[in-house]
Structure formats: C-alpha cells, structure tokens
Amino acid sequence: MIIQAFLRWVETAKASERASAASALGRAFAEADVNGIDRQAVEMAMTFLLDDPSPKVRRSLAEALADCPIVPRSIIKTLAQDQPEIAYIAISRSPVLNDDDLVDMAADGGAEMRALIASRSAVSCAVAAAIAEIGGEEEVLILLENPGARLSPGSLRRIADRLGDSVAARGLLLERHDLPSDARQNLAEKAGAALAASDLVRAVIGEDRAQRVVRETCDAAALTLSSASAREELQRMVAALRKTGRLTPALLLTALCSGRTEFFSAAIVDLSGVPEKRVRSILSGGRFHSIRALLETAGLGREVSGMFSEAVLFCQCEADADHDGASLSVAARLSDRLRRRSFGAYHAVAELAERLAFAEQRQRARNYALLLSRQAA
C-alpha cells in the first residue's frame, strides 16, 4: 500500500519534491532503517525512480546510494551508465561495482565512461590494464595521474608502446619509479625520433648530424639503463632493439668497451638463440675459436666475428688489468691495437673504437667544465 501511494504521488509531484523523496528513500535503504518487507518496497520505488525524467531525481538517488555496500548492483550499474555527472557519483564512490563490472563498462562505454573509471579512488590492476589497452590519451593521462591506480609493469609497457609519442604521457611515465627499464628505453627511442624529426633541430645542426646524435644518445641510454635492469627487463630491451634494427655491431662494441658485459651477453643470447648459461660460459672461457663460433651463430660475418672475438678477449684482459690511473680508455687502447691491422674489418672497427674513445674524452671534458662551473658558483 505504501509503494502504491508513493507511485501515485510521484505522478503529480514536482521534480524538487521527487528529488527529496529519492534522497530520503536512498538514505533509509543505506542506513538500514527499513525492515525486510519495507526494503523490498523501497527497492521497487528506487528502481522506478531510475526512469524519472528529471536528472535531479536520479542524481539525488545516486548521492544517497553511492557509498552503500548493500545496494542492488542493478541499480548502481544503471546509475553508472546515466549522464556523466550522475555516472561520476556512482562510479567514483560505489563499492558495489567489481572489477568485472568496471572492465565491461570500460570496453562497452565511450571515452567519458573510461575517464570516469580511471578517476575512481581505487583502480585495480585488472581495470587499469583494460584502460591501458583501449583507452585514449585523455583517459590514460587521468589513469597515470591517479595515485589510487595500480599499474602493473605490463600495463606501463603497453602505455609506453601505444602513447609514447605523446609528450604528456611520456612525461608522466618517466616520472614513475616503477617504470620498467625496457619501457624507459622505449620512451627514450620515441623521444629521440621526435627530436630527429624536428624541423628546428634539422635546420640548426643538419639532418645527418641530428640522426647521429640521437642514435648515439639512445645507445648510451640503453647501456646506462641496462646496468640497473632486472634480467627479464634486459631481455625485453635487447629484443626490442633487435626488432628495430638498433642492435648493431657499433652498439655491441660500445657495450664491450664500456664494460656493459650483461648487455653484451644478453644481446648475443638474443641474436644467437644459444642458452644464456652456455653464452656466459663461452664468453668467460677465454678461447678465441669458441667465441668466434658463437658470434658467427649470432649473425656476425667471419671477418667481423674474428675481430669481435679479439675485442672480447682484449676487453676482458683490460677489465682485469690495473693501469694505475692511465688516461687512455679501453676504447682508445682497443683502437690502438686494431690499427696495427690495416685491412678490412679491423680498420673499420678501429675507426669505430676511435670514435668511441673521442666521445668518452669529450664527455670527460664536459664533466670537468661542469665541475669547474659549480666550484666557481
């Protein structure tokens, strides 16, 4: 009888009166001020109000029920699919919506729906993964800015792949301490590509030099990041470099000369398909012909593989030797050694080692100038 009287009253009541009634009904339900029979009647009345033509009524109902953990899911899910200002209340606060609900909403809804879900006070890994996979730039930026969003390494990698060209997304990703090293390297590559494509940069330093500077900077970033990378991240980084054609002999030689043995080993494992344990055993065994055979399996030609085998052995000896603060770097000493061979690949690689040594010398000069500047300040 009560629900019948309520429904008759709703037909003629003003919108403001219906909004007040919706709020009262919702609070009574949420605060458990009704018994079992009345609860069913209240549920029916609230369900009826979901079709009220006035947004004020539906909003009042959403505000009253948003924090209630026992409200029927059908009511909350309907409110969550209402107008954005009503949906925001339900989505941002309701504990009734579970991960499956939110993932389905993200998949079936539009950009506004995903933005609302991304701004939720707590976003689980599963829900964040769904938005990372299909969300547009705006929704993903909201997700990255949300301190309550839990983003797995896989989601961060996916965002870096999909939206790494966005300056805003790249900035937010690089600020994160939990960003995997391979994703960080991916972003460095994307930033470098954007820099090399800049009309201003190409006009100032020339296209060829811009490409070279970006390539060398990205190579240096890869080697630096490899030092702090977990094994899986390092393997991902190496695989990505190989797929993009960046795992070049120049990068391998740079890794050798700079002592990045973990990177070099991971690269040879990826290129050759030989198990990691076997690669490490061969590289540390100090046998020229075994190393040469391994490098040829990795795709290096016979002349180049011989030179690289010699470089591997030389760098191992240099790493173990004590040069008493000698000014020449490993790259410089390797260049001097290889220049004694005036033919073929040896001469070409000697040139490369010399460029590496000069780059190291220039960096030391920059560091020294910076130190003097700071001391003067």
Side-chain angles (χ1 to χ4, degrees), residues 282 287-297 300-307 309 346:
I282 293 174
R287 298 177 58 184
F288 178 87
H289 294 292
S290 298
I291 295 174
R292 184 172 190 171
L294 173 64
L295 296 180
E296 289 180 1
T297 303
L300 296 179
R302 185 158 185 81
E303 187 176 25
V304 176
S305 66
M307 177 280 306
S309 301
Y346 282 89

Side-chain angles (χ1 to χ4, degrees), residues 47-240:
T47 302
F48 179 80
L49 290 175
L50 293 175
D51 294 321
D52 194 285
S54 172
K56 293 181 180 179
V57 176
R58 304 194 302 275
R59 177 171 183 149
S60 295
L61 185 62
E63 289 176 342
L65 297 176
D67 300 313
C68 178
I70 59 172
V71 63
R73 290 175 65 248
S74 58
I75 293 179
I76 285 296
K77 289 183 69 175
T78 302
L79 291 171
Q81 296 171 347
D82 208 311
Q83 296 177 189
E85 63 271 18
I86 300 171
Y88 175 78
I89 297 170
I91 292 174
S92 63
R93 292 165 53 188
S94 179
V96 174
L97 296 173
N98 58 34
D99 284 357
D100 290 338
D101 295 330
L102 295 170
V103 169
D104 288 342
M105 289 179 186
D108 298 335
E112 287 186 344
M113 175 68 75
R114 288 189 289 271
L116 292 174
I117 296 172
S119 64
R120 191 173 165 90
S121 59
V123 183
S124 70
C125 285
V127 177
I131 296 175
E133 183 64 35
I134 62 175
E137 180 178 351
E138 182 177 354
E139 303 109 81
V140 173
L141 290 178
I142 293 173
L143 187 68
L144 291 172
E145 292 173 341
N146 184 355
R150 297 174 56 194
L151 286 153
S152 68
S155 294
L156 292 173
R157 290 189 182 97
R158 186 57 179 151
I159 294 173
D161 285 339
R162 293 185 60 237
L163 300 173
D165 293 324
S166 162
V167 175
R170 194 163 60 232
L172 289 173
L173 284 169
L174 291 173
E175 290 175 358
R176 299 181 66 99
H177 299 296
D178 58 347
L179 182 67
S181 298
D182 52 308
R184 199 174 292 275
Q185 170 60 22
N186 184 10
L187 294 177
E189 296 282 344
K190 291 180 180 293
L195 184 64
S198 167
D199 293 335
L200 176 61
V201 172
R202 288 187 294 182
V204 172
I205 65 174
E207 184 172 355
D208 292 341
R209 187 181 177 192
Q211 293 286 349
R212 177 175 58 81
V213 170
V214 167
R215 183 176 63 253
E216 292 175 353
T217 302
C218 290
D219 287 351
L223 296 178
T224 300
L225 290 170
S226 69
S227 300
S229 298
R231 178 178 299 179
E232 181 183 353
E233 293 178 5
L234 181 57
Q235 291 171 346
R236 288 176 179 272
M237 184 190 303
V238 166

